Amino acid sequence: MSFKHITLALVLSLATAVPVFAADPVAVVAAPRVDMAQRYVDSDQYMSGKIDSLIVDLDLSARFVDGGVLFRRGPKKSGTMMFADTARATQTALITEADLTQKLVAAGEKIEGVADIRPTGYDAGKKTLTFGALGREWTYDFTAGTVSANPPRAERPKGVTSPDGKRMVVARNYNLWLIDLVSGKETPLTSDGTYDLRYGTTYPLLGEMAAANNPALEMPLSAQWSPDGKSLVTYRLTRNGSYIWHGVQQSPPGSQFPRTFDYVYPTAGAKNVPLQQPVLVDVDKATVTDLKVPATEMLYPGDISIYWEGDHIVYDWTERGYAQLKLFEIDPKTNVARVRVHEAMKPLVTVTSSSIRPASELKGDLVISERTGWAQLYYIAQGTNPDGGKALTKGNWEVTEIVRIDEGGPILIAGIGREPGVNPYFRSLYRVGLDGSIFNLTPEPLHHETDVSDDGKWIIDRMSSPTVATETVIRDAANGRIVQTLGKADISALLATGFTLPEPFETLADDGKTKLYGMIYRPKTFDASKSYPVIENLYTGPTTHRFDEDFNGNIRSSLNAMAQLGAVVVTIDGRGTSQRGQAFRSSAYQNLGEVGLDDHIWVLKAMQKKYPYLDLNRVGVYGGSAGGYDAARFILRRPDFYKVAVASSGNHDLRLDKAWWPEVSMGIADDATWERNSNISVAKNLKGKLMLIHGDIDDNVPVAASLRLDKALIDAGKPHELVILPNTTHAVYQPYFWKKLRDYFTVNLIGETPPQ
């Protein structure tokens, strides 16, 4: 049976099996020259925004409301708002999208056809339904039969209000002010605030300042009143000699001239980064006391985690370089701090696989730690060894999230890789007891995206795999039993267009024992007797993985659109990525420039061995952000294998990136190590075709990163292309980006001319 003849019925029935698509041993010839203009039309059709009209019940927008679950069922613009009563296990149709559209028209809205409607809330007692439509929030009154527009959401308060509601503290000109809400009297609580020293507010991002057209934009106050309303816990931020960046918006809307913005953006490897010192403010005395805990070294603009827990203060602290994490408890009366939890690892603590969660419900704290080499759950009782704790889970798998804690237990956690014979990236929901007992609430060998009701009694489970269509169910949280099915995805209309289903792929690494995973996306005109270039979409960072576990992510992926150009598109996770244990990821430590490269080539060759139609003489890569770094490094470090690359928003020299992302994997590195991991240092290696794309006001990875690589390529005499997108932050996905991306691969990899 050929790949293109797989039926929907087969796909939906194979809940545990992964289809195997065997290639016939036939001679491989060049792919047919299907009209390129038509291929672009097909590519547009399979972009996520357009493909949704061909899919039914993939996402039901299911959410818990009082007494049950609100969800939407049916084809796009022909759906019905539904309510599932969890106690009675019944379902009721509330109103159709068509009827709601007519109600909106009756309210004065001009609508052609049927509106896109997203249910957001349902009150059976008041008989009202809230929903989103036309860019606004609405309420439908079933009794009156009318809709009304909800008032716009209130802006975030300028300050924080005391527990009795009579006073407010605000941030103004980098200082703190107390406002008596009864009399209106204002009293300064601090007076030494400046640009370089500010209280309770972080630095604005470049994109935020540009959007507000305000180079002195003030950020919301981060502070918390004590329960007795006498003091405030917050932080004092000092620039600490860190570099002031200068952003330029060359073509700002409404202005003939460029706008410039100065901003603070701590970068990886920098000697100095801003310091955030926790402080206690006595509101009545207008005094500020430094709490006797270490300051947080800011690695990206944001607030620290410090808050009241009863009559004491809790503070999360991470040492720069990620050598250790500490959870402090501070007595505000004595200013004495004790460490409740201490997490230390060599060479560093991987924060994406480690976390600390205060658990007053259990009279202690919970820790996800890699101390055994795998992220497992530990319980540290109050007053016990902060480096110890009782292991509540064990094994060669990863706890990924603490989902819920009940008084005295149990604990609900998410985990991956525990079940034998199941893809190690598939997520399950588990109930864990303080005695170490564990029960899988989602036993089907699929990927489970779950929500738990506020009372902890019910679970919404969206279960699927790359090849098994999403089924949304309600489970009893006590035993995992499915009590209702809300809907199953139907892609028959999509398959009727000739859509070719993505395929998971796995192979052993060169050590003969480590499994490596990927996905394969083929065009609708796919013919196994033809030859196809390969385009790989990249993101190899050790904070995540690229394999898409669920049906939704694979069916709605833009990679399907890219494949329509006449290529086979793939994703691959090599060693160095996350959620496969510490050993799997360890090769990324201070080695981002090389990690995974040869694993990717190994997997591509394994794919070609199974599918000879893959032309490994024509391999291209693309990616954004850290994936942009990857795209450039792949073509620069393996120039004889990778022939075409498009790198967008890439952090090509990690020392020009925000400190947190590179230092999560690099720790405290010396200049030689940073240089060894830079794309700029290997610009002279370019042999193929490389395009760099970047937004001019990127506030995540500064445009300087691409401009520096551009200069290095120019200095090395290497032809390439540079595209700077005006008034664009880190999110470059816009029509012009997609045009440049697709055209570049069409010309340079597929060898054809893009349509006009």
Side-chain angles (χ1 to χ4, degrees):
M1 179 174 61
S2 70
F3 179 89
K4 61 183 178 181
H5 293 135
I6 293 291
T7 66
L8 175 63
L10 176 61
V11 172
L12 298 182
S13 68
L14 296 181
T16 60
V18 175
V20 176
F21 306 97
D24 298 326
V26 297
V28 174
V29 298
R33 296 180 65 86
V34 177
D35 178 70
M36 182 55 74
Q38 181 59 48
R39 280 186 254 169
Y40 269 64
V41 170
D42 294 337
S43 178
D44 288 339
Q45 180 187 29
Y46 293 151
M47 293 296 286
S48 60
K50 295 184 178 180
I51 201 173
D52 293 348
S53 62
L54 300 171
I55 305 171
V56 179
D57 292 344
L58 184 61
D59 179 5
L60 301 180
S61 298
R63 61 174 59 204
F64 285 108
V65 295
D66 188 26
V69 174
L70 174 68
F71 63 106
R72 178 206 172 280
R73 191 161 63 197
K76 185 178 179 65
K77 296 191 176 184
S78 299
T80 300
M81 307 304 127
M82 304 286 298
F83 174 70
D85 187 309
T86 46
R88 295 183 175 88
T90 59
Q91 295 181 18
T92 304
L94 300 176
I95 189 170
T96 67
E97 284 180 320
D99 287 341
L100 276 178
T101 298
Q102 292 305 310
K103 303 296 183 183
L104 289 168
V105 171
E109 298 298 317
K110 295 182 179 179
I111 304 172
E112 294 185 6
V114 178
D116 284 323
I117 292 173
R118 176 179 52 87
T120 57
Y122 175 63
D123 189 319
K126 295 181 179 179
K127 296 184 179 179
T128 57
L129 171 76
T130 58
F131 62 95
L134 309 176
R136 302 177 65 180
E137 290 287 329
W138 303 81
T139 295
Y140 175 64
D141 187 316
F142 286 89
T143 302
T146 57
V147 297
S148 58
N150 296 344
R153 293 183 180 180
E155 294 184 7
R156 180 172 174 172
K158 299 296 183 183
V160 291
T161 305
S162 61
D164 62 9
K166 295 180 179 180
R167 300 190 290 181
M168 175 184 286
V169 173
V170 299
R172 184 185 302 156
N173 297 325
Y174 313 119
N175 282 298
L176 299 178
W177 286 75
L178 176 67
I179 301 175
D180 188 309
L181 297 177
V182 178
S183 67
K185 180 182 177 181
E186 298 186 358
T187 305
L189 297 177
T190 65
S191 59
D192 57 341
T194 65
Y195 181 85
D196 290 336
L197 185 155
R198 57 186 72 195
Y199 290 91
T201 59
T202 187
Y203 298 109
L205 298 174
L206 171 60
E208 292 172 324
M209 292 188 291
N213 190 21
N214 183 359
L217 183 67
E218 290 200 1
M219 301 301 288
L221 174 63
S222 174
Q224 191 178 99
W225 285 84
S226 60
D228 62 11
K230 294 181 179 180
S231 56
L232 200 76
V233 66
T234 183
Y235 64 90
R236 181 180 61 250
L237 173 61
T238 55
R239 186 164 64 87
N240 190 37
S242 57
Y243 181 72
I244 296 178
W245 284 71
H246 311 285
V248 181
Q249 187 179 22
Q250 296 287 354
S251 303
S255 174
Q256 179 182 355
F257 302 104
R259 296 188 304 198
T260 61
F261 302 91
D262 293 342
Y263 62 104
V264 175
Y265 173 89
T267 50
K271 179 180 179 181
N272 296 318
V273 296
L275 298 177
Q276 293 166 296
Q277 174 62 50
V279 298
L280 185 68
V281 181
D282 187 310
V283 176
D284 294 321
K285 297 179 181 179
T287 58
V288 178
T289 301
D290 285 8
L291 295 173
K292 293 181 180 178
V293 289
T296 293
E297 294 184 87
M298 176 190 281
L299 304 183
Y300 191 68
D303 301 311
I304 63 174
S305 176
I306 187 166
Y307 51 91
W308 292 91
E309 189 179 82
D311 60 357
H312 55 265
I313 299 166
V314 177
Y315 169 51
D316 275 308
W317 175 75
T318 302
E319 182 180 46
R320 189 177 182 190
Y322 297 95
Q324 58 178 331
L325 314 178
K326 289 183 179 180
L327 183 70
F328 288 98
E329 180 180 303
I330 310 159
D331 184 335
K333 295 179 181 179
T334 63
N335 201 2
V336 173
R338 72 176 183 90
V339 178
R340 284 191 353 199
V341 180
H342 179 220
E343 180 74 2
M345 301 287 292
K346 290 186 180 301
L348 46 70
V349 177
T350 302
V351 293
T352 52
S353 294
S354 308
S355 64
I356 300 171
R357 168 83 173 267
S360 59
E361 304 92 338
L362 306 176
K363 296 181 173 56
D365 299 288
L366 293 174
V367 183
I368 298 176
S369 172
E370 285 189 307
R371 61 188 70 173
T372 65
W374 293 85
Q376 295 296 306
L377 183 67
Y378 298 82
Y379 168 65
I380 301 178
Q382 289 178 357
T384 60
N385 179 9
D387 291 283
K390 176 183 179 181
L392 300 183
T393 62
K394 60 183 179 180
N396 296 346
W397 57 286
E398 289 216 1
V399 176
T400 59
E401 182 186 0
I402 299 169
V403 176
R404 180 183 174 89
I405 307 170
D406 284 314
E407 197 76 29
I411 306 156
L412 297 187
I413 64 169
I416 60 176
R418 181 177 182 268
E419 310 306 323
V422 178
N423 186 296
Y425 295 111
F426 287 180
R427 179 185 190 268
S428 292
L429 185 70
Y430 297 94
R431 186 182 66 237
V432 177
L434 289 180
D435 59 357
S437 61
I438 185 168
F439 180 76
N440 187 354
L441 293 165
T442 54
E444 297 83 359
L446 299 167
H447 178 69
H448 299 266
E449 292 289 344
T450 56
D451 296 320
V452 181
S453 62
D454 289 343
D455 61 10
K457 294 181 178 180
W458 309 100
I459 301 164
I460 297 173
D461 182 11
R462 305 162 188 86
M463 54 182 178
S464 72
S465 81
T467 58
V468 177
T470 306
E471 182 175 6
T472 304
V473 301
I474 301 175
R475 295 181 181 272
D476 186 328
N479 52 30
R481 180 176 62 90
I482 296 175
V483 295
Q484 290 196 59
T485 296
L486 303 183
K488 298 179 182 180
D490 178 358
I491 62 167
S492 55
L494 175 64
L495 292 178
T497 69
F499 181 84
T500 304
L501 290 163
E503 177 202 353
F505 183 87
E506 63 180 71
T507 190
L508 292 178
D510 56 7
D511 63 4
K513 59 182 181 180
T514 303
K515 281 190 177 181
L516 302 176
Y517 292 82
M519 289 294 301
I520 301 175
Y521 303 80
R522 300 172 175 87
K524 63 187 291 186
T525 56
F526 173 74
D527 182 341
S529 68
K530 308 301 181 182
S531 174
Y532 292 88
V534 179
I535 301 174
E536 184 181 354
N537 179 246
L538 294 166
Y539 195 104
T540 71
T543 59
T544 187
H545 59 265
R546 186 66 190 85
F547 182 85
D548 217 332
E549 307 92 348
D550 69 344
F551 194 72
N552 187 338
N554 281 287
I555 294 298
R556 299 180 71 247
S557 173
S558 63
L559 306 189
N560 293 302
M562 286 294 294
Q564 305 316 313
L565 300 180
V568 171
V569 178
V570 304
T571 62
I572 296 168
D573 278 308
R575 283 166 288 193
T577 52
S578 72
Q579 298 192 316
R580 296 283 302 280
Q582 193 178 51
F584 189 89
R585 191 189 57 249
S586 62
S587 56
Y589 176 64
Q590 296 193 348
N591 189 38
L592 296 181
E594 283 290 324
V595 67
L597 285 167
D598 294 324
D599 276 351
H600 284 247
I601 294 174
W602 179 273
V603 173
L604 285 171
K605 289 180 177 179
M607 288 178 174
Q608 188 200 41
K609 185 176 181 180
K610 185 174 183 180
Y611 302 124
Y613 50 75
L614 299 181
D615 183 356
L616 297 192
N617 291 314
R618 294 186 292 163
V619 179
V621 288
Y622 76 102
S625 193
Y629 167 75
D630 290 331
R633 77 184 178 98
F634 272 49
I635 198 170
L636 294 173
R637 293 179 185 270
R638 299 295 185 270
D640 293 325
F641 189 84
Y642 296 101
K643 306 301 171 56
V644 182
V646 177
S648 60
S649 310
N651 51 342
H652 300 295
D653 190 306
L654 302 173
R655 291 163 294 189
L656 294 173
D657 193 10
K658 61 208 164 285
W660 87 263
W661 191 92
E663 292 186 9
V664 161
S665 302
M666 301 285 287
I668 302 298
D670 57 26
D671 283 342
T673 302
W674 291 113
E675 183 67 20
R676 189 177 70 248
N677 286 274
S678 171
N679 285 340
I680 295 169
S681 65
V682 291
K684 63 182 182 297
N685 293 350
L686 181 64
K687 293 182 179 180
K689 300 289 186 177
L690 172 60
M691 174 185 285
L692 307 176
I693 302 178
H694 219 116
D696 64 340
I697 53 171
D698 192 330
D699 51 16
N700 189 311
V701 177
V703 66
S706 286
L707 293 175
R708 293 281 183 89
L709 179 55
D710 172 57
K711 181 181 184 303
L713 292 166
I714 291 172
D715 291 345
K718 299 296 182 179
H720 63 286
E721 291 194 31
L722 173 67
V723 178
I724 302 297
L725 298 173
N727 304 322
T728 299
T729 58
H730 198 56
V732 297
Y733 297 147
Q734 54 189 264
Y736 190 71
F737 166 83
W738 289 112
K739 174 176 173 52
K740 295 297 292 185
L741 175 71
R742 294 189 295 185
D743 286 359
Y744 202 70
F745 282 118
T746 296
V747 171
N748 295 295
L749 192 71
I750 299 173
E752 298 191 40
T753 302
Q756 294 297 318

